[in-house]
């Protein structure tokens, strides 16, 4: 929203904000007398970018009204000229926008003239894209990369193939936070369902020392081991293997895990005879 107001020796700003500090107000009015002041503040998460949100989060408890105005609002005068009570009023309005969701859908949108669209069916996401997203979603500083995975350029209404995040990653810092949260919700729904569909891939291995050599090896190489399995043990074929549909990939991985468990159980049974 944009508030425009002209200050001509009155002590009332915008929508009836009375400045309590008369002396400060008079100084303010003299400095910008007859000047058209423009303050644009966000109304919802539609108007707040991922970059702005991260800046707010980084400041945490140390954030001030001035910080909020500088990050979330557009002001056409030097902020130092604006009285503190006015800053507080508009910073409050800007912060309120964070609690208003706005567009909660993953519909297409434009950044710098580029139309970006979400997977028409999240279940069609590739194994590689899903794996990258899981990694990026674990750290908010990588959230723009997750957005580059899930929102990709449209080619005549068809989403383009996922080829990594290097090309559009930085651009996705401008993604509206409403789109970020919508994408996050859809992706988390998918992976929650995956845990139910393929329990053998997500259930704990059970027992053992979590700091053992085997446990450390598993944590370090589990993703590579999965990709190598999908590539039938040939590292050269990994680039093609990660393009498999995530359900096809997980079905094969779950089959492999269950098959190995069964064979290991048979070996132990034979040894105990």
């Amino acid at each position: 929203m944009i508030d425009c107001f002209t200050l001509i020796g009155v002590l009332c700003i915008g929508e009836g904000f009375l400045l309590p500090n008369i002396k400060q107000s008079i100084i303010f009015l003299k400095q910008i007398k007859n000047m058209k002041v423009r303050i644009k503040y966000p109304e919802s998460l539609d108007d707040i970018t991922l970059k702005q949100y991260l800046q707010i989060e980084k400041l945490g408890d140390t954030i001030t009204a001035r910080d909020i105005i500088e990050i979330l609002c557009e002001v056409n005068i030097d902020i130092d000229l604006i009285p503190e009570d006015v800053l507080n009023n508009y910073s409050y309005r800007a912060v309120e926008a964070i609690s208003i969701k706005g567009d909660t859908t993953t519909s297409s949108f434009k950044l710098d003239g580029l139309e970006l669209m979400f997977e028409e069916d999240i279940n069609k996401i590739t194994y590689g894209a899903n794996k990258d997203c899981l990694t990026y979603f674990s750290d908010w500083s990588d959230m723009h990369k997750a957005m580059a995975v899930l929102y990709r350029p449209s080619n005549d209404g068809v989403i383009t193939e996922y080829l990594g995040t290097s090309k559009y990653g930085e651009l996705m810092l401008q993604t509206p936070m409403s789109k970020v949260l919508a994408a996050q919700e859809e992706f988390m729904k998918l992976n929650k369902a995956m845990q139910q569909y393929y329990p053998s891939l997500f259930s704990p291995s059970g027992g053992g020392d979590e700091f053992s050599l085997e446990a450390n090896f598993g944590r370090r190489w589990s993703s590579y081991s999965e990709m190598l399995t999908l590539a039938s043990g040939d590292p050269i074929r990994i680039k093609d293997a990660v393009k498999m549909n995530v359900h096809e990939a997980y079905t094969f991985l779950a089959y492999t895990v269950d098959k190995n468990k069964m064979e290991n159980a048979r070996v132990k049974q034979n040894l105990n005879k």
Side-chain angles (χ1 to χ4, degrees):
M1 178 176 287
I2 301 173
D3 272 3
C4 292
F5 44 89
T6 303
L7 304 174
I8 314 178
V10 294
L11 299 182
C12 195
I13 291 186
E15 299 173 3
F17 289 131
L18 184 65
L19 303 183
N21 188 328
I22 303 298
K23 183 178 179 180
Q24 180 188 31
S25 300
I26 292 174
I27 293 174
F28 178 49
L29 294 171
K30 285 181 178 178
Q31 288 174 325
I32 56 175
K33 185 178 180 181
N34 297 323
M35 177 181 177
K36 190 98 171 186
V37 178
R38 177 179 179 273
I39 296 181
K40 181 180 180 181
Y41 58 91
E43 293 186 81
S44 71
L45 288 176
D46 290 340
D47 307 317
I48 298 174
T49 68
L50 173 57
K51 183 177 181 179
Q52 290 172 320
Y53 184 84
L54 292 175
Q55 289 175 318
I56 294 289
E57 284 293 302
K58 185 177 181 179
L59 290 172
D61 294 336
T62 66
I63 198 166
T64 64
R66 180 192 177 95
D67 293 328
I68 293 170
I69 295 294
E70 288 182 336
I71 294 171
L72 296 182
C73 300
E74 294 179 17
V75 185
N76 68 339
I77 66 167
D78 186 344
I79 293 180
D80 290 332
L81 297 177
I82 303 177
E84 183 178 353
D85 51 340
V86 179
L87 286 178
N88 289 336
N89 279 322
Y90 280 96
S91 66
Y92 176 77
R93 291 186 180 193
V95 169
E96 271 192 324
I98 296 177
S99 64
I100 302 173
K101 292 182 178 181
D103 183 2
T104 57
T105 70
T106 54
S107 57
S108 61
F109 63 101
K110 288 186 177 182
L111 290 180
D112 286 351
L114 182 67
E115 184 174 7
L116 299 160
M117 63 184 299
F118 196 78
E119 290 277 6
E120 185 177 354
D121 181 355
I122 190 64
N123 287 286
K124 293 181 180 179
I125 195 171
T126 65
Y127 168 84
N130 185 76
K131 203 70 176 176
D132 284 350
C133 252
L134 286 171
T135 300
Y136 298 143
F137 270 124
S138 66
D139 187 342
W140 267 92
S141 66
D142 285 330
M143 188 60 69
H144 60 296
K145 296 179 181 178
M147 294 303 102
V149 177
L150 296 175
Y151 291 108
R152 304 196 297 278
S154 167
N155 183 10
D156 292 329
V158 178
I159 192 169
T160 54
E161 182 183 3
Y162 173 58
L163 298 174
T165 63
S166 59
K167 188 172 183 179
Y168 297 110
E170 290 304 308
L171 174 65
M172 300 310 288
L173 283 168
Q174 302 305 317
T175 304
M177 275 303 299
S178 55
K179 294 297 183 184
V180 173
L181 297 182
Q184 188 179 44
E185 182 178 0
E186 287 299 310
F187 182 75
M188 291 309 176
K189 280 181 184 176
L190 169 68
N191 279 274
K192 184 177 181 180
M194 300 279 271
Q195 293 180 34
Q196 298 175 342
Y197 297 154
Y198 314 102
S200 57
L201 297 180
F202 297 94
S203 58
S205 56
D209 181 3
E210 64 174 315
F211 300 108
S212 68
L213 184 63
E214 291 81 4
N216 287 328
F217 178 87
R219 281 191 291 270
R220 182 176 182 182
W221 295 103
S222 61
S223 292
Y224 183 74
S225 177
E226 285 185 1
M227 291 186 288
L228 199 59
T229 299
L230 293 174
S232 300
D234 185 354
I236 296 177
R237 297 176 58 190
I238 285 179
K239 286 186 177 180
D240 292 326
V242 296
K243 294 180 182 180
M244 291 177 63
N245 172 268
V246 67
H247 286 288
E248 293 175 355
Y250 273 36
T251 297
F252 180 71
L253 291 171
Y255 161 77
T256 302
V257 168
D258 290 343
K259 181 171 177 286
N260 289 339
K261 285 181 179 178
M262 180 188 69
E263 291 175 347
N264 289 335
R266 282 180 177 176
V267 170
K268 288 181 180 179
Q269 187 178 22
N270 291 333
L271 289 174
N272 292 330
K273 287 182 178 180

